[in-house]
Amino acid sequence: MMKESFEVSGKTITLYKAEQTNQPLVVINMFESDGSTLIPELQKIGTPHINLLVISNLNWNSDLSPWEIPSFLKQEPPFTGEADTHLQWLLNEVIPKAKERIEGTPEKTYIAGYSMAGLFALYALYQCDVFDRAACMSSSFWYPKFKEYALSNKLKRTPEKMYFSLGDKEAKTKHPILKTVQENTEAIVEHFKQSGVDVTFEMNEGNHFKDVDWRIVRGIVEMCK
C-alpha cells in the first residue's frame, strides 16, 4: 500500500492506496494516529485489497458526537454534538479528494471506527446512504440515548455487512454510564440481526485499551470479506 498525506481544513488526511485498480475505499477516523501502526497488523492478518483513508487530528468529543451531552469524567471535555458537520465535511470534501488520488474508481465505500469513531461510523449509516459496509470496534455505545436512537430509527440503506466487537472487560466498571456499553452493544447487534442484516459480533479479551490496533484491523478485515 502506497502512503500519501494531504490536509483538508487543517485536518491531516492519510491515504494508503491499493496497488490494484477499482478497490473499495475504507474510511476511518483515528484519535491521533495516521494509521501507520495499522499496516503491520494488516500485513500479519492478510491485507485485503482496499484503499484506506485515515482522518486524524480530530476534536474527538466534538467531531464524532451525535448530540450534545455534558462531560461526565474528570478532565474530559464536553461532547458538543458536531457529528453531522463532520460527516458532511467527509462526504463533500475529504472522500472526493481521496477518490481523485486512488487508482481507478472504488466500487464500494466502507466506514470503520474504534471507540467514539465506532459510534460515529454507525451514526453515519442513519444520516447518509454512501457507505456499503461498516465496522464498529469497541464503540462508545454507552453514549446517552444512542441505543434508543439506533433501535427507533431507520438506516438510510441496508448495509451489505456490519461488524461489531467489544472487550470482555469494558463493561466491568462502577461508572453508571460506561457500564452500559456491553448491554447496549448487544441490543444494537440483535436489532440488526432481526432486521436481516449480515452481522458479525465478537468479544475480545481485555478492556477498552487492549490490542487497539489489532482490534481495528480485525474489524476491517472481517468487514471486507
Side-chain angles (χ1 to χ4, degrees):
M1 302 176 79
M2 296 184 62
K3 180 179 178 180
E4 179 179 341
S5 297
F6 56 100
E7 284 196 4
V8 180
S9 304
K11 292 185 174 66
T12 303
I13 315 297
T14 308
L15 178 63
Y16 297 89
K17 298 186 286 187
E19 296 179 4
Q20 302 82 359
T21 61
N22 306 324
Q23 298 304 308
L25 177 64
V26 177
V27 180
I28 183 168
N29 293 284
M30 299 282 286
F31 185 61
E32 293 179 341
S33 171
D34 66 354
S36 58
T37 56
L38 303 179
I39 304 305
E41 293 294 337
L42 277 169
Q43 292 171 341
K44 288 178 188 177
I45 295 180
T47 308
H49 296 306
I50 60 170
N51 298 281
L52 183 64
L53 180 64
V54 181
I55 298 91
S56 55
N57 287 352
L58 296 173
N59 188 332
W60 196 248
N61 287 9
S62 295
D63 293 334
L64 304 178
S65 55
W67 46 78
E68 185 176 356
I69 64 169
S71 176
F72 56 86
L73 296 172
K74 292 181 179 179
Q75 300 180 338
E76 183 80 18
F79 299 82
T80 57
E82 297 174 33
D84 290 332
T85 300
H86 181 61
L87 178 60
Q88 290 305 310
W89 174 74
L90 284 178
L91 299 179
N92 298 325
E93 298 188 49
V94 179
I95 292 177
K97 289 183 179 180
K99 287 183 175 180
E100 292 174 357
R101 289 169 164 79
I102 63 180
E103 297 295 328
T105 303
E107 297 180 356
K108 307 285 185 178
T109 304
Y110 307 154
I111 188 167
Y114 193 95
S115 191
M116 281 296 294
L119 177 86
F120 176 84
L122 181 55
Y123 180 71
L125 299 187
Y126 289 92
Q127 301 303 310
C128 73
D129 61 0
V130 171
F131 301 108
D132 298 275
R133 301 182 183 186
C136 307
M137 289 71 72
S138 290
S139 302
S140 302
F141 292 151
W142 48 259
Y143 204 85
K145 298 184 180 179
F146 187 79
K147 180 189 73 173
E148 292 77 9
Y149 174 87
L151 270 55
S152 62
N153 287 275
K154 291 184 178 181
L155 301 175
K156 291 295 185 181
R157 62 182 291 192
T158 301
E160 299 173 348
K161 183 179 290 188
M162 301 178 77
Y163 174 90
F164 297 89
S165 69
L166 193 69
D168 59 10
K169 294 183 179 178
E170 293 195 50
K172 295 181 179 179
T173 173
K174 294 181 180 179
H175 196 286
I177 294 177
L178 297 179
K179 72 178 183 180
T180 66
V181 66
Q182 183 169 336
E183 175 187 348
N184 290 355
T185 300
E186 290 173 346
I188 290 170
V189 168
E190 184 61 26
H191 170 71
F192 289 126
K193 285 183 176 180
Q194 293 296 324
S195 300
V197 180
D198 182 1
V199 179
T200 298
F201 176 50
E202 296 184 323
M203 292 294 293
N204 298 309
E205 181 181 350
N207 62 22
H208 188 67
F209 303 100
K210 181 176 173 60
D211 301 327
V212 173
D213 287 342
W214 180 86
R215 291 188 196 180
I216 292 172
V217 167
R218 170 74 177 173
I220 291 173
V221 170
E222 288 299 310
M223 173 183 63
C224 293
K225 284 183 177 179

